[in-house]
Amino acid sequence: MSQLFQIDFSSAKRKRIVGIDLGTTNSLVAFMDLTGPKVIPGPDGERLVPSIVSLTPTGEFVVGHAARKLLIDQPERTVYSVKRLMGRGLEDVKEELTLFPFRIAPDSGNVIKLQLGERQLTPPEISAQVLLQLKRNAEAFLGEEVTQAVITVPAYFNDAQRQATKDAGRIAGLEVLRLVNEPTAASLAYGLDKRQNGVVAVYDFGGGTFDISILRLQDGIFEVLATNGDTHLGGDDIDNLLLRIALEDIAAEWGQDLSGHGEAVQRLRRAVITAKEELSYLPFTHIQFEWEGRSYRRELTRELFEKLIAGIVERTLEPCRQCIADSGVSVEQIDEVVLVGGSTRIPLVRRAVENLFKAKPHTELNPDEVVALGAAVQAGILAGEVENKLLLDVTPLSLGIETMGGVVSKLIHRNSTIPTSATELFTTAVDGQRNVLIHVVQGERELAKDCRSLARFELKDIEPMPAGAARIEVKFLIDANGILNVSARDQRTGKEQSVEVKPSYGLTEDQVEAMIVESIEKAEQDFKERQVREARLEADTILAATEKARASDAWLDLSEQERQQITEATNQLLLVYHSEDHHLIRQKIDELNQATLKLAETMLNSAVRAALKGTKLE
Amino acid sequence: MEQPPCWQCNKKYTGLFCAHCNALQCPVDDYYSVFGMERKLSLDVQALQAKFYELSRLLHPDRFTRRSPLERQYSLEASSLLNKGYRVLRNPVQRAEYVLKKEGFDIGEQGTKDVPPELLEEVFELNMALEELKMGDQQARGAVEEARQRFAAMRDEIDRELEQLFQQWDEKHERATLQQIRGLLNRRRYIHNLVTEVENVATLSN
Ligand SMILES: [Zn+2]
């Protein structure tokens, strides 16, 4: 034993990047250790953090398992599946609102606001609370501050949904170094590249979204050939289907409509989810529900269940066919299929995938964890720790601008490898015109109104000149996160042209900025308190160990000077023990650690050594 | 073309990275240049893919997370150029169109709607048959299929001619060859659109 403690206090070294799967139903955080990607458990030992957020009457946020209980006790202060609302407007979610108990604030503009108790919060702010919880779990586990992350998103997420996810990261105090598509992340986790070069399909059916991606693997390069999906199709839809049936059943049996009753609906939802999950391994089960002294019990066979959900499963197959067509490979050329997402546990889903791809799908990795593990691998790539792998992803939707008559002029085609860019020349239509407005849309349809409005970009302060004389070159660049960046340049002067962005369904820079300040201040406070607490715990341990060592024979072998140094260092540590400065406490721990080096080395008494061994910190 | 000196160490270099300090340079806006290849119309797609993967490893933004903002920007531009270049150069038609544009030819979409005179009669007959098929007359299917095969064969013939012209230009670099290529590309575009349309109608009326 060379040291009493092996803590690297000078660890202002390279920051660790974590990988986060921000899911509709559950979220996870993972990191790369020397042997590979690992999921980080929470303090409660749980690896999945339910994506449920509750605001207590005292204004604190509760996240995860604790919030699940509040979903039933305080449904008006609790929200789940908020991922479904990320980057979306009020118009988009009308259908959702009939099935989810979201309480939309009346003044929701182009960004939805949810009413949680007395506060109104946007989906990125709520997701930020989930991220903050994961960040804390990672910090507690790793014993260091975590500020950089890779976050996964559904491959079929549009620009606004991606931006909203990035905003959530920033609000939570995380620098989002990369957004990585969930199916691609999964393929990284599987390490399929080690087995062979070939073509792989990833079928990702999660809680709220469906993605399909087809990749070519060659010597560590993961090249996505095509991707497709549906950002509104997931296990939630199956739950809603069962829920509706159960509600109708109950209405008929009891003569009571429970659908408006938040708490009852939440309990019933849990009951149908349990039944759904059981049917993945049982031939039949019961939906059981009790409410105000009455009980409801209905048998559900797997056969009937499969009949009920056949339509939902079928809806995943069309995107698969389109993806195969776009990828330029035939079904026969696809060597392997990987299943991701909790909904792929359903036997019918597995059979459907097997039939379509004519291949037995991979299910070795836990479908709930594989995306987070992949995010950690991508974090390792960014940190330079994983050198042989590289992901080449694509943009899922075509990007275009609205031209005369509302027709879309496509600039970047779907399934283009990212980063990618397109340049367009713009001019003025009227003499002396100072501004030009560019409407950017995403989608495959010919008319702008049928596509997804992404943003309006305004070229400002154009030098006044005759109509048609201005030459402004606008560059549309989709970065490796799948997010659009627009820049403009006056072609004649070469000078940068100012562009103002008005996102159609997103927060402005200023809004995000304001949200960050609020939560970071609190988070920093929390972090500091925790650091102090942890430093004191470490101090306790080393003080106890030193105390014990004083009684050993080794103590007598030290020189007077050495003993004095240890006593001095001990006193110094005791002096700062109650300060609020964790750096200072750690510094003194380090000094005592240094002073006891010789003592540790000379301790040969095995009993004492064992006692000290027990105090070694990781 | 003379490259400016390295932005970081101010020394002379060639290629994407400075030979002295290894800093990534501002890429030149040319697909052939980012692939480090001569401007040739015939190329080996397998080799192109290998080169694409090799350069992706060097240029992708993932490799620049902890580098300076300027290098991150260059990496974004260089890999965007590489990705677009790979998409264009691996397809012979798009590759030829790109070279024509770089060589100063106007390759607008004009003329794609006008029927080439020598095809007038055949196209007229095909359109008749297509109309009948759309109306539900399944007997027209035979005539449509026959026409589709004939036009597809024409397209294949054009592709063979193009291949020869590609080699010819690579050897001699004569503008007249490019002129010929442009004419063939227009004709090919027309026929290709026709074949696609026939295929669409045929599947829809199935
Ligand atoms: Zn240099």
Side-chain angles (χ1 to χ4, degrees), chain A residues 176-193:
Chain A
V176 182
L177 294 181
R178 175 76 75 248
L179 294 176
V180 55
N181 293 331
E182 285 157 12
T184 357
S187 72
L188 275 179
Y190 257 95
L192 294 166
D193 55 316

Side-chain angles (χ1 to χ4, degrees), chain B residues 173-190:
Chain B
H173 273 73
E174 286 168 349
R175 268 189 97 68
T177 317
L178 291 180
Q179 207 97 43
Q180 262 179 291
I181 290 174
R182 184 171 69 158
L184 265 185
L185 283 177
N186 277 338
R187 194 175 138 92
R188 189 194 186 280
R189 200 179 295 134
Y190 179 82

Side-chain angles (χ1 to χ4, degrees), chain B residues 153-163 184-185 187-189 191:
Chain B
M154 260 184 234
R155 185 179 57 187
D156 294 345
E157 178 56 32
I158 292 175
D159 287 348
R160 278 191 292 276
E161 277 180 63
L162 277 173
E163 231 170 273
L184 265 185
L185 283 177
R187 194 175 138 92
R188 189 194 186 280
R189 200 179 295 134
I191 292 170

Side-chain angles (χ1 to χ4, degrees), chain B:
Chain B
M1 193 167 39
E2 183 79 0
Q3 265 184 281
C6 168
W7 60 269
Q8 187 167 274
C9 71
N10 213 29
K11 287 184 186 143
K12 288 255 164 226
Y13 72 99
T14 52
L16 287 160
F17 291 89
C18 170
H20 311 281
C21 72
N22 204 30
L24 177 60
Q25 307 295 316
C26 183
V28 182
D29 188 4
D30 184 284
Y31 297 157
Y32 283 93
S33 148
V34 75
F35 272 92
M37 299 187 310
E38 278 179 73
R39 192 177 288 168
K40 284 198 164 170
L41 281 170
S42 316
L43 59 83
D44 175 0
V45 176
Q46 280 294 326
L48 185 78
Q49 187 190 56
K51 192 85 188 151
F52 171 64
Y53 287 160
E54 184 194 323
L55 286 167
S56 291
R57 283 184 198 278
L58 297 174
L59 299 175
H60 194 275
D62 280 6
R63 299 279 184 245
F64 292 82
T65 318
R66 287 177 162 152
R67 302 281 273 274
S68 68
L70 188 67
E71 267 183 288
R72 289 213 298 269
Q73 184 60 32
Y74 287 161
S75 134
L76 202 55
E77 283 168 18
S79 49
S80 140
L81 212 58
L82 182 74
N83 290 337
K84 287 191 288 176
Y86 180 50
R87 195 181 175 89
V88 166
L89 296 184
R90 74 183 166 199
N91 177 307
V93 171
Q94 288 186 38
R95 187 196 312 147
E97 284 171 347
Y98 181 72
V99 169
L100 283 171
K101 217 166 78 188
K102 282 280 169 183
E103 295 288 333
F105 282 84
D106 177 20
I107 52 143
E109 298 277 305
Q110 72 269 38
T112 55
K113 290 275 184 287
D114 304 330
V115 187
E118 72 279 11
L119 296 177
L120 214 54
E121 201 173 326
E122 270 185 280
V123 171
F124 180 73
E125 274 171 27
L126 173 63
N127 279 337
M128 293 272 284
L130 277 178
E131 278 311 307
E132 284 164 20
L133 186 59
K134 274 188 206 163
M135 303 291 280
D137 182 358
Q138 290 298 328
Q139 286 182 335
R141 190 171 288 280
V144 167
E145 176 52 24
E146 205 180 293
R148 189 197 66 81
Q149 283 179 11
R150 207 163 46 243
F151 282 110
M154 260 184 234
R155 185 179 57 187
D156 294 345
E157 178 56 32
I158 292 175
D159 287 348
R160 278 191 292 276
E161 277 180 63
L162 277 173
E163 231 170 273
Q164 284 181 359
L165 287 171
F166 284 1
Q167 281 176 14
Q168 199 177 314
W169 188 74
D170 289 347
E171 282 161 24
K172 298 182 183 153
H173 273 73
E174 286 168 349
R175 268 189 97 68
T177 317
L178 291 180
Q179 207 97 43
Q180 262 179 291
I181 290 174
R182 184 171 69 158
L184 265 185
L185 283 177
N186 277 338
R187 194 175 138 92
R188 189 194 186 280
R189 200 179 295 134
Y190 179 82
I191 292 170
H192 177 73
N193 287 346
L194 206 63
V195 173
T196 317
E197 195 199 326
V198 172
E199 280 165 358
N200 284 343
V201 173
T203 36
L204 284 177
S205 326
N206 235 334

Side-chain angles (χ1 to χ4, degrees), chain A residues 27-246:
Chain A
S27 298
L28 298 90
V29 58
F31 79 113
M32 257 331 240
D33 78 2
L34 293 173
T35 57
K38 297 274 169 344
V39 171
I40 298 176
D44 51 1
E46 297 276 355
R47 297 154 78 87
L48 298 180
V49 173
S51 306
I52 307 173
V53 174
S54 188
L55 182 67
T56 66
T58 50
E60 279 156 65
F61 286 102
V62 177
V63 177
H65 291 283
R68 169 165 289 165
K69 294 185 190 83
L70 296 171
L71 197 56
I72 289 171
D73 300 338
Q74 301 191 317
E76 73 291 343
R77 305 190 139 271
T78 312
V79 61
Y80 68 98
S81 285
V82 78
K83 188 174 178 180
R84 286 190 166 241
L85 304 181
M86 293 286 270
R88 316 193 70 213
L90 204 50
E91 277 299 304
D92 307 322
V93 297
K94 282 215 168 115
E95 205 178 305
E96 238 95 332
L97 295 182
T98 62
L99 298 166
F100 290 89
F102 292 130
R103 289 161 304 281
I104 307 284
D107 66 333
S108 291
N110 61 354
V111 178
I112 291 169
K113 284 185 199 151
L114 292 174
Q115 193 78 43
L116 248 70
E118 46 292 312
R119 284 189 71 181
Q120 295 183 352
L121 296 161
T122 61
E125 285 172 286
I126 294 166
S127 294
Q129 291 301 326
V130 177
L131 291 173
L132 209 54
Q133 181 65 48
L134 296 171
K135 179 178 188 277
R136 285 179 183 145
N137 289 355
E139 284 172 345
F141 184 84
L142 300 169
E144 61 189 49
E145 197 179 3
V146 171
T147 58
Q148 295 183 317
V150 168
I151 301 181
T152 61
V153 290
Y156 216 57
F157 252 19
N158 67 29
D159 184 273
Q161 293 168 306
R162 285 167 194 271
Q163 190 61 58
T165 306
K166 221 178 158 191
D167 291 344
R170 275 180 66 197
I171 296 167
L174 286 169
E175 187 188 350
V176 182
L177 294 181
R178 175 76 75 248
L179 294 176
V180 55
N181 293 331
E182 285 157 12
T184 357
S187 72
L188 275 179
Y190 257 95
L192 294 166
D193 55 316
K194 278 188 210 118
R195 249 172 286 170
Q196 64 171 98
N197 291 336
V199 179
V200 174
V202 184
Y203 177 100
D204 180 357
F205 197 13
T209 58
F210 170 70
D211 280 328
I212 174 79
S213 288
I214 296 176
L215 300 94
R216 173 180 289 133
L217 309 188
Q218 191 159 318
D219 306 324
I221 298 261
F222 291 64
E223 183 194 7
V224 178
L225 300 175
T227 194
N228 212 299
D230 187 333
T231 56
H232 290 94
L233 183 59
D236 275 358
D237 294 288
I238 293 172
D239 304 344
N240 285 334
L241 188 94
L242 296 179
L243 181 64
R244 212 157 37 209
I245 291 169

Side-chain angles (χ1 to χ4, degrees), chain A residues 409-429:
Chain A
S409 161
K410 267 188 198 170
L411 299 178
I412 294 172
H413 287 269
R414 72 160 186 266
N415 293 322
S416 295
T417 306
I418 50 174
T420 190
S421 66
T423 309
E424 275 284 301
L425 207 56
F426 289 86
T427 187
T428 48

Side-chain angles (χ1 to χ4, degrees), chain A residues 241-251 268 272 287 296:
Chain A
L241 188 94
L242 296 179
L243 181 64
R244 212 157 37 209
I245 291 169
L247 280 169
E248 279 167 20
D249 248 14
I250 290 170
L268 188 55
V272 302
I287 300 175
Y296 164 77

